[in-house]
Amino acid sequence: MEDFKEPKSPKIQGETGQSVHGQGEIKSSHSQDKLKSSLCQCKPSHNQVGPGIVTSKDDQPVTVQILDETKSSSNFQRKANSKGKTKRRRKWEVFPGGNKFCCKGRYIRGPDSTGYLITLALILIIGVLFFSFDSMYLSKRVSPVVPASGVPFFLLMLVLFNVTAFTDPGILPRATAYDIEKQEEINYKTDDNGSRYTETDIKGRVFQQQYCRTCKIYRPPRSSHCSVCDNCVERFDHHCPFVSNCIGKRNYKHYFILLIIATVLSCYVIGCNVAVISFRAQEYPINEAFMKSIPSVIEGILCLFILLTGLLCLVVYHTRLVCREETTNESLKDTFANNINPFSQGSWYSNCFYILCTPKAPKLLDRRGFEDDADVSQESSKNLPPPPI
């Protein structure tokens, strides 16, 4: 029998005689010596073909499994070391604001989801009633195209509704201990109420960057602190109870398109309801036509209620704001009542294009990152005192 030679890269040969990588590797020198001795002590009826391979009388290869002792021992050592370490928490787990997180910090929503659930229930009720009753009747009486045209609007409204509700509106990260130390070097001013602020110039107009005592930052222009979510939001518009989230720089576009789609879909459903009742009134007496069209009546009442209680007003109001490149917060405070808006693009169509067609701004809040050991976590930084006046 020839001397056993240690292979450079161990391979295991399968039953078909082909080499298969990864089924096992040579262990340490101690295990290799054992393997050599075990192979040398094989019966005479078996012939050794290669490392870890023995053939029988019928020249059928028999595989000997070889394990990697070094790799398994290193894995064991790694697991032993990991037991002594504390688990690092992600930033969304220690987030001090009022927002809630879903899917391990991938999605964010407001602190109270009651408004979101009620609005979602209304959308689903109207959709189920319409596509279960009215669409079936109209497809037979008129054409399948009529009810089918409402499917993309309904799906688009559901997508925009959830995107608006679960998108970071532009939350500004709170100051860490290091940031608060650096704030002592900032030259700030104090107003009559004792609030600190800094000044910045935008297109020839001076804006005050107010200091937020909760987030411990100097807010950029157009930003404000939401009392419901307990966060400072970039280009803060308002907190919408119907989506249970703030409307800010990163989700205002979706919110505005949602209002338009919801208005169009409500008018579409009401028109189909009227058509169904009118067609049945031609076949039956008016009272019987209404009795056979109870789902249509319920849909029409719900859609009229939504339209007349604020949806139409919101669409008109926000269309005016988009054309002027102004937020709800700025409009209520008359920020640009006596001055030119420096954020305007110059014309109403340029403002519409800027708001609706520009890409979504990058998020500033790192929700999925780990806590920085060199810094004070966000959970503890909310209790730090502000820089001295």
Side-chain angles (χ1 to χ4, degrees):
M1 182 179 295
E2 297 180 359
D3 295 336
F4 182 86
K5 295 182 181 181
E6 181 180 350
K8 294 183 180 179
S9 57
K11 300 180 181 178
I12 305 299
Q13 185 168 348
E15 293 181 358
T16 60
Q18 297 177 353
S19 60
V20 181
H21 293 269
Q23 300 225 2
E25 291 91 12
I26 301 296
K27 283 187 176 183
S28 59
S29 60
H30 179 68
S31 61
Q32 292 176 15
D33 295 336
K34 287 185 177 180
L35 179 62
K36 292 178 182 178
S37 61
S38 63
L39 292 178
C40 293
Q41 294 175 2
C42 292
K43 292 182 179 181
S45 60
H46 293 75
N47 297 324
Q48 180 181 347
V49 178
I53 304 168
V54 178
T55 59
S56 61
K57 291 182 179 180
D58 300 333
D59 292 333
Q60 295 296 329
V62 179
T63 305
V64 179
Q65 187 176 7
I66 305 172
L67 301 177
D68 188 353
E69 187 181 50
T70 307
K71 184 176 180 181
S72 61
S73 61
S74 62
N75 291 338
F76 177 78
Q77 185 68 25
R78 192 183 301 111
K79 290 180 180 179
N81 294 337
S82 63
K83 289 182 180 180
K85 295 181 180 179
T86 58
K87 183 181 178 181
R88 295 182 64 189
R89 295 182 299 178
R90 295 189 181 271
K91 292 182 179 180
W92 68 270
E93 297 179 290
V94 296
F95 185 69
N99 293 82
K100 305 298 181 181
F101 297 89
C102 309
C103 301
K104 296 183 179 181
R106 291 178 174 86
Y107 303 100
I108 187 172
R109 62 179 179 85
D112 186 15
S113 59
T114 304
Y116 166 81
L117 295 177
I118 293 175
T119 308
L120 181 62
L122 283 174
I123 295 174
L124 294 178
I125 289 173
I126 294 173
V128 170
L129 290 176
F130 177 77
F131 291 108
S132 300
F133 298 97
D134 289 354
S135 62
M136 302 296 293
Y137 180 82
L138 290 174
S139 61
K140 296 178 181 179
R141 182 64 185 268
V142 183
S143 172
V145 178
V146 176
S149 60
V151 175
F153 286 99
F154 182 76
L155 295 178
L156 182 59
M157 185 175 67
L158 277 178
V159 171
L160 289 172
F161 176 71
N162 286 281
V163 168
T164 306
F166 292 99
T167 297
D168 179 1
I171 297 175
L172 298 172
R174 301 196 178 193
T176 60
Y178 177 78
D179 298 330
I180 294 178
E181 292 178 0
K182 286 295 183 181
Q183 288 176 6
E184 299 179 4
E185 304 174 3
I186 298 177
N187 294 325
Y188 57 83
K189 299 180 181 180
T190 307
D191 58 13
D192 298 335
N193 298 325
S195 301
R196 297 191 304 276
Y197 66 90
T198 60
E199 293 182 344
T200 182
D201 182 89
I202 300 178
K203 293 183 179 180
R205 179 173 178 182
V206 178
F207 283 85
Q208 292 184 357
Q209 294 180 296
Q210 297 291 336
Y211 182 80
C212 178
R213 293 186 175 272
T214 303
C215 301
K216 297 178 175 60
I217 60 172
Y218 289 95
R219 291 192 295 261
R222 315 191 83 181
S223 303
S224 183
H225 189 89
C226 177
S227 59
V228 179
C229 296
D230 196 24
N231 288 307
C232 284
V233 179
E234 191 177 12
R235 198 189 180 276
F236 177 76
D237 192 87
H238 69 288
H239 182 88
C240 181
F242 302 108
V243 298
S244 299
N245 197 7
C246 287
I247 306 300
K249 184 176 183 178
R250 300 189 72 249
N251 64 348
Y252 181 80
K253 173 172 59 177
H254 307 103
Y255 172 77
F256 180 68
I257 300 176
L258 172 65
L259 293 179
I260 296 176
I261 296 297
T263 304
V264 173
L265 189 60
S266 298
C267 295
Y268 168 79
V269 171
I270 292 174
C272 292
N273 299 152
V274 173
V276 169
I277 297 174
S278 300
F279 288 143
R280 284 178 173 160
Q282 297 174 4
E283 303 172 0
Y284 308 96
I286 187 65
N287 294 334
E288 189 175 353
F290 273 100
M291 292 300 297
K292 290 181 176 293
S293 306
I294 290 180
S296 301
V297 175
I298 296 176
E299 297 165 31
I301 292 174
L302 289 177
C303 290
L304 278 175
F305 174 78
I306 294 173
L307 283 173
L308 299 179
T309 54
L311 184 58
L312 280 176
C313 296
L314 284 175
V315 169
V316 174
Y317 179 69
H318 281 278
T319 302
R320 170 180 171 271
L321 293 179
V322 168
C323 293
R324 300 178 60 177
E325 224 292 61
E326 193 175 9
T327 65
T328 302
N329 188 45
E330 293 167 347
S331 177
L332 296 177
K333 293 180 178 179
D334 290 332
T335 305
F336 308 120
N338 301 321
N339 299 285
I340 299 176
N341 182 3
F343 303 101
S344 176
Q345 303 300 312
S347 60
W348 65 270
Y349 52 85
S350 298
N351 292 333
C352 293
F353 180 83
Y354 175 76
I355 292 178
L356 300 178
C357 299
T358 52
K360 183 189 295 186
K363 58 184 178 183
L364 303 177
L365 186 65
D366 182 18
R367 306 188 298 266
R368 296 274 299 163
F370 289 99
E371 283 185 285
D372 190 0
D373 297 335
D375 242 342
V376 178
S377 67
Q378 296 184 29
E379 183 180 21
S380 60
S381 64
K382 64 180 181 180
N383 298 322
L384 293 173
I389 299 178

